[in-house]
Amino acid sequence: MGALTRRALLAGSAAGGLLLAAGPAAAQARGPFAHGVASGDPAQDSVLLWTRVTAPGGDAVRGTWQVAADRGFRAIVASGSFETSAARDHTVKPIAEGLEPGRDYFYRFQALGATSPIGRTRTLPAGRLDRLDLVLACCAMYMYGEFHAYRAIAMRERLDLVLFIGDYIYEYGPQGTLGAPLLRPVEPAHDTVSLADYRQRYAQWRRDPALQDAHARAAWACMWDDHEIANDDWVHGAQHHDPKTNGDWEVRKRAAVQAYLEWMPIRDPAPADPFGVNRSFAFGDLATLAMPETRLKARDEQLSLGKDLEMRVIDARDPAAPKVVTDAAALATLDRKALPAGYALEPDVAGFRRKLAAPGREMIGAAQRDWLRDELKAHGAAGRPWFLFGSQTILSSYVYPDLTRFPGGKPALAPFRAMTRHKLPMLNLDAWDGYPAEREQLYDLFEASGANLLTLSGDSHMAFINESHRGEKRIGLELSASTVTGPSIGELLLPPGPVGEAFAEASRDVLWCDVNAIGFVTVSLTRDRVDAEFVRVLNPRETVGRLDIAKRARAAISEGVLGGWRVS
């Protein structure tokens, strides 16, 4: 297919964007392998392989798999047989073992007289490693955009691993909740609730040729976020789950997780720990990647502005000294919907911040914090320069700037814009800003370890270059990907104008923000430097995609200490 190199991207940008056509990369009939192939969770001597066999009549199927050192399969180094059935939706997940570290391999499946497309993968390196090339991506809304980003990932010349940090599918039905025009209908044509629903939704996503090619290009390390189950989920429920219409939460949660484990190239957790998908990867002596699970093991329910931000009655008859009305008898005589002259309602922002900061509110919990502490110790003992923290949501702190400064915007969103005058986290209460006490515990771990921290995150539908701070001390750096298809938060909610710059002005941790970003991030690590490029899809709803590079960032390690970002 060629290579999407930096030179090609820059040349395409100069001509108005690199052109990528949607649709099949090659007109090959995939037969029973209609959902392509994939690999994931590589180790130094093994890698998980994935496919699905579309069987006539839903019968059980037997087949074989092969791994070779060459694309022509003249040097087969591992092979085996498989059997699959409707009980696991005809998906196949063998683990190829006995491989060499740091090697490219090719793999394929055979069943029902047919051979699958060929996939390419790579084992984790051992010993000395001088360069690591990753892609960071998240948030793939098939119904709202073409998968041009996946096509571009598939064309990358250098690529060791794709880190997909969450929201691989979306559970919404065709009505959605976003207000953006639908590009493609979803299957099933309702919210995914049952096991059959989730399986059908994955099958639709995985029929897309661009996504298939991205999976076939390299091994993936995947983690679910919320939309693989339901929006803003936590241990005992979700914002987008109504027991009256969606049934029992535990049943839905188990169904969603089962479908995820069937359809994604991820090693299954232990039966005694069904949500224990937190795991780590060691890239030789260069980097450690640790990925906690942040949804179903320990997360407390999110706070919300509508439910948890209380309104206070203010006696403003003395403009020089307005005061909060706290007398119960006085409050009982006041009609909050028709306050007399001199009285007003205002949000209790200080009280809301106290609720946010309450000790004990968790996203990952004590067991995973202990696991992370052990990972940091092992990382330090190995002397690796880089510790990569894969977080489904943004770790750094940011508040919404005062959007009333910007004219225009949707009239229906005027109350939302008015609330931004209080500089609250607003829509990131589902991220680490909604759990600041536990974030401080993570910062304790990172700071005590002395690791050079680079957080790789997503979920916000905006792109960020951040530096995480505790007071004046920089704890680490962060790159946060937007959405591979759109819509962006800028398109959905924000007024026109330089709003991204306003985010950076309002938030100490934010160096750069693109509220309209659609695309992915490339990350290249050497022993003393990290380089990142934010690859942008300019027209996600058109058949032929145009891409360019929106922003570059670089940071260096000097005498073992990680410096700040240089952004260009």
Side-chain angles (χ1 to χ4, degrees):
M1 282 192 300
L4 181 60
T5 62
R6 173 173 170 167
R7 180 177 301 172
L9 267 175
L10 291 175
S13 176
L18 181 77
L19 299 182
L20 295 175
Q28 58 176 320
R30 298 184 184 243
F33 300 99
H35 300 95
V37 299
S39 67
D41 282 5
Q44 291 183 357
D45 60 353
S46 66
V47 66
L48 181 140
L49 310 178
W50 181 95
T51 194
R52 182 178 188 267
V53 184
T54 304
D59 296 336
V61 177
R62 292 182 176 87
T64 60
W65 57 267
Q66 297 174 322
V67 176
D70 64 302
R71 187 177 287 275
F73 285 80
R74 292 178 294 274
I76 295 175
V77 299
S79 61
S81 60
F82 67 82
E83 182 175 350
T84 187
S85 68
R88 57 170 302 108
D89 205 16
H90 288 94
T91 59
V92 182
K93 289 174 58 175
I95 295 177
E97 299 178 308
L99 308 180
E100 297 180 12
R103 284 284 308 272
D104 282 337
Y105 289 100
F106 300 88
Y107 61 94
R108 65 186 180 187
F109 297 84
Q110 294 174 324
L112 301 177
T115 300
S116 74
I118 294 171
R120 179 179 175 182
T121 191
R122 186 173 179 84
T123 51
L124 295 183
R128 177 81 178 188
L129 182 65
D130 292 320
R131 178 168 173 170
L132 176 65
D133 289 279
L134 308 174
V135 158
L136 171 65
C138 66
C139 304
M141 303 195 78
Y142 174 94
M143 61 281 251
Y144 290 115
E146 296 282 357
F147 282 162
H148 298 311
Y150 286 142
R151 172 75 66 231
I153 291 169
M155 294 172 65
R156 292 202 67 79
E157 185 175 13
R158 295 186 66 109
L159 182 56
D160 296 308
L161 185 79
V162 174
L163 174 57
F164 196 91
I165 210 68
D167 295 342
Y168 185 90
I169 63 165
Y170 278 73
E171 84 281 15
Y172 298 135
Q175 76 284 356
T177 63
L178 300 176
L182 250 63
L183 179 74
R184 301 185 276 192
V186 291
E187 303 169 6
H190 54 260
D191 292 347
T192 54
V193 176
S194 69
L195 176 59
D197 292 342
Y198 284 105
R199 284 172 165 176
Q200 188 176 1
R201 190 64 56 88
Y202 280 104
Q204 181 183 30
W205 259 240
R206 294 295 287 268
R207 286 197 304 269
D208 187 277
L211 178 52
Q212 291 186 20
D213 288 348
H215 272 297
R217 170 62 185 87
W220 286 40
C222 302
M223 180 61 73
W224 63 57
D225 192 29
D226 54 339
H227 288 289
E228 290 90 347
I229 301 97
N231 182 58
D232 284 3
D233 59 355
W234 56 291
V235 170
H236 299 303
Q239 177 275 329
H240 194 208
H241 180 84
D242 182 354
K244 295 179 181 178
T245 56
N246 302 136
D248 184 86
W249 166 247
E250 293 298 324
V251 173
R252 183 182 188 183
K253 181 170 67 174
R254 288 195 297 270
V257 169
Q258 179 177 338
Y260 184 90
L261 294 174
E262 290 171 347
W263 279 86
M264 298 299 290
I266 178 176
R267 301 188 191 225
D268 292 345
D273 187 14
F275 309 128
V277 292
N278 54 295
R279 57 208 193 279
S280 66
F281 304 87
F283 298 92
D285 66 349
L286 182 63
T288 302
L289 168 63
M291 304 168 64
E293 194 284 330
T294 66
R295 291 287 171 182
L296 303 180
K297 287 177 69 68
R299 182 189 278 259
D300 292 310
E301 185 175 8
Q302 302 88 340
L303 298 188
S304 72
L305 296 178
K307 177 167 56 89
D308 298 293
L309 178 60
E310 298 177 5
M311 302 299 290
R312 308 186 301 178
V313 177
I314 302 297
D315 181 351
R317 288 175 295 179
D318 180 0
K323 61 182 180 180
V324 180
V325 179
T326 58
D327 180 75
L331 288 172
T333 65
L334 295 173
D335 181 356
R336 290 194 170 206
K337 296 182 179 180
L339 289 172
Y343 289 83
L345 283 176
E346 72 168 21
D348 183 5
V349 174
F352 184 74
R353 293 188 186 279
R354 286 193 295 271
K355 291 180 182 180
L356 278 179
R361 299 193 68 251
E362 298 178 319
M363 282 178 68
I364 66 173
Q368 287 195 93
R369 292 196 303 272
D370 289 343
W371 165 77
L372 187 58
R373 181 184 292 107
D374 291 340
E375 291 294 329
L376 286 162
K377 288 180 180 177
H379 169 81
R384 301 184 187 107
W386 294 100
F387 189 84
L388 311 178
F389 182 59
S391 176
Q392 292 80 72
T393 56
I394 293 177
L395 179 68
S396 299
S397 180
Y398 70 97
V399 297
Y400 270 65
D402 181 358
L403 297 179
T404 62
R405 297 162 37 199
F406 300 91
K410 300 174 183 177
L413 295 173
F416 168 79
R417 292 196 298 273
M419 279 300 301
T420 63
R421 289 179 295 191
H422 301 285
K423 293 188 176 180
L424 289 167
M426 301 294 289
L427 300 181
N428 45 317
L429 294 170
D430 184 57
W432 283 100
D433 268 327
Y435 302 81
E438 190 178 37
R439 178 171 58 191
E440 283 298 307
Q441 296 181 67
L442 294 192
Y443 284 178
D444 286 340
L445 295 178
F446 294 138
E447 190 171 4
S449 73
N452 294 313
L453 172 67
L454 175 60
T455 299
L456 303 174
S457 65
D459 184 62
S460 72
H461 287 235
M462 299 184 283
F464 285 89
I465 300 173
N466 296 332
E467 295 182 356
S468 304
H469 286 88
R470 169 188 275 164
E472 295 300 312
K473 184 176 179 57
R474 184 193 304 118
I475 301 297
L477 307 181
E478 181 170 27
L479 299 167
S480 192
S482 181
T483 159
V484 300
T485 57
S488 67
I489 289 296
E491 176 186 353
L492 292 173
L493 296 175
L494 303 182
V499 180
E501 290 88 335
F503 269 96
E505 292 169 2
S507 304
R508 167 69 185 278
D509 285 359
V510 178
L511 273 69
W512 173 79
C513 173
D514 184 349
V515 301
N516 295 304
I518 295 170
F520 58 93
V521 185
T522 70
V523 184
S524 180
L525 296 167
T526 62
R527 304 195 72 79
D528 60 359
R529 197 175 76 195
V530 55
D531 288 280
E533 293 182 336
F534 285 74
V535 180
R536 176 171 55 184
V537 178
L538 300 173
N539 57 338
R541 296 194 184 104
E542 297 178 12
T543 303
V544 176
R546 292 184 291 115
L547 288 82
D548 69 3
I549 297 173
K551 190 65 64 174
R552 297 182 179 87
R554 171 178 291 181
I557 297 173
S558 177
E559 298 182 353
V561 178
L562 178 59
W565 286 118
R566 287 186 292 158
V567 180
S568 61

